[in-house]
Amino acid sequence: MHADTFVAGRNCLLLSYTERCCDVMPYSEDYEAKTTIPIVQVATGYTSLTGERYILIFSEAIWMLTLEKSLANPNQLRDYGILVQDNPYDGPMTIEKVSDEDDNFICCLQSEETNIFMETWTPIQADLESCRHIVLTSSHPWNPAEVKFPRTTDGDREEIENRSIGSMRLVDGEVMRAISRTYWSILTLIYNRSKYSTSSRLTPELLSPRWFPLLSRRALCQRTNN
């Protein structure tokens, strides 16, 4: 499951309330909307494979204790400058914070079926006092309806799409020239073998529409151009 805002479940510890609430709309009309859900700051714990324990801080989260596990929106983290690589086909999946201060952080994400996740635990007060704190979302109000992602300008789109089309045409032309050379080699071979027959009046041009009617016209054009 995904959400357009971090949804804090029972693996989080409440740190503070904001003075704001929101209504949570379900993904299906079969469920009723939940109203006046508090917007809060929460903490959850993460332990790296090296044994180091971290407290991960999420501001502007929706507080829903009915969920066993929290739901995260990668773009809310990216909006705060966090590097989120959650594409399983593009190398190791990670969440990384690069900072001038002493709160650099990186963790590896895991996957199960189509779900991307990280293993966390519910901290207690002693954990808050002894573990490093890593802030992963901004404390400024997060309103998904007002978020504006970076856009590709019309000029950039035109350049990118024209470059792609030009590349496809180049590849298509190279492929057709290779097909054309093979095509005419086959026809010439057939012609050379058949010309020794007393009844044969075949030429590669006459064989072309008989043997390869779908390719003959285009291959003939390629041969002419070459």
Side-chain angles (χ1 to χ4, degrees):
M1 295 178 65
H2 300 277
D4 59 12
T5 301
F6 189 91
V7 181
R10 292 197 295 273
N11 62 327
C12 290
L13 176 69
L14 177 65
L15 297 180
S16 63
Y17 286 93
T18 68
E19 297 179 352
R20 292 171 289 117
C21 295
C22 67
D23 296 338
V24 178
M25 306 303 295
Y27 65 90
S28 171
E29 294 181 356
D30 295 335
Y31 301 91
E32 294 183 358
K34 295 184 179 295
T35 60
T36 62
I37 303 298
I39 298 174
V40 299
Q41 183 185 69
V42 297
T44 190
Y46 172 77
T47 304
S48 71
L49 286 180
T50 62
E52 186 167 2
R53 290 156 60 88
Y54 299 89
I55 297 298
L56 308 182
I57 308 296
F58 294 92
S59 300
E60 291 295 292
I62 298 173
W63 186 232
M64 295 188 67
L65 287 178
T66 55
L67 294 181
E68 179 181 354
K69 299 179 179 179
S70 301
L71 304 176
N73 183 325
N75 289 322
Q76 188 175 5
L77 278 67
R78 292 185 179 109
D79 187 70
Y80 188 54
I82 305 300
L83 305 177
V84 182
Q85 201 303 87
D86 57 353
N87 181 354
Y89 300 97
D90 193 27
M93 296 182 293
T94 58
I95 293 177
E96 182 175 5
K97 181 176 184 179
V98 180
S99 173
D100 294 333
E101 301 177 4
D102 188 26
D103 61 347
N104 291 322
F105 170 78
I106 187 169
C107 73
C108 290
L109 300 174
Q110 302 177 57
S111 65
E112 183 175 330
E113 298 178 346
T114 60
N115 297 314
I116 310 298
F117 64 94
M118 61 188 299
E119 292 286 356
T120 62
W121 39 270
T122 308
I124 59 176
Q125 185 62 36
D127 298 317
L128 297 182
E129 296 172 357
S130 62
C131 300
R132 286 179 57 198
H133 288 204
I134 307 296
V135 179
L136 293 180
T137 60
S138 173
S139 59
H140 294 293
W142 169 262
N143 186 344
E146 297 178 356
V147 174
K148 304 294 182 183
F149 291 139
R151 298 183 60 184
T152 304
T153 65
D154 290 343
D156 289 340
R157 285 183 56 192
E158 183 177 1
E159 179 182 351
I160 292 169
E161 292 172 0
N162 283 338
R163 184 168 65 238
S164 175
I165 293 172
S167 176
M168 292 174 60
R169 286 174 177 168
L170 177 62
V171 171
D172 182 62
E174 292 174 349
V175 170
M176 283 309 302
R177 282 191 290 273
I179 292 174
S180 175
R181 289 191 294 269
T182 304
Y183 172 83
W184 284 101
S185 296
I186 294 173
L187 293 182
T188 301
L189 177 62
I190 296 172
Y191 166 70
N192 289 336
R193 289 186 177 182
S194 65
K195 68 181 180 180
Y196 296 104
S197 171
T198 55
S199 61
S200 174
R201 296 183 179 178
L202 296 176
T203 65
E205 285 76 11
L206 290 176
L207 283 169
S208 176
R210 295 183 181 181
W211 287 79
F212 304 101
L214 295 178
L215 291 176
S216 59
R217 180 177 299 177
R218 190 168 185 182
L220 182 60
C221 291
Q222 290 285 345
R223 182 169 181 261
T224 302
N225 293 336
N226 293 334

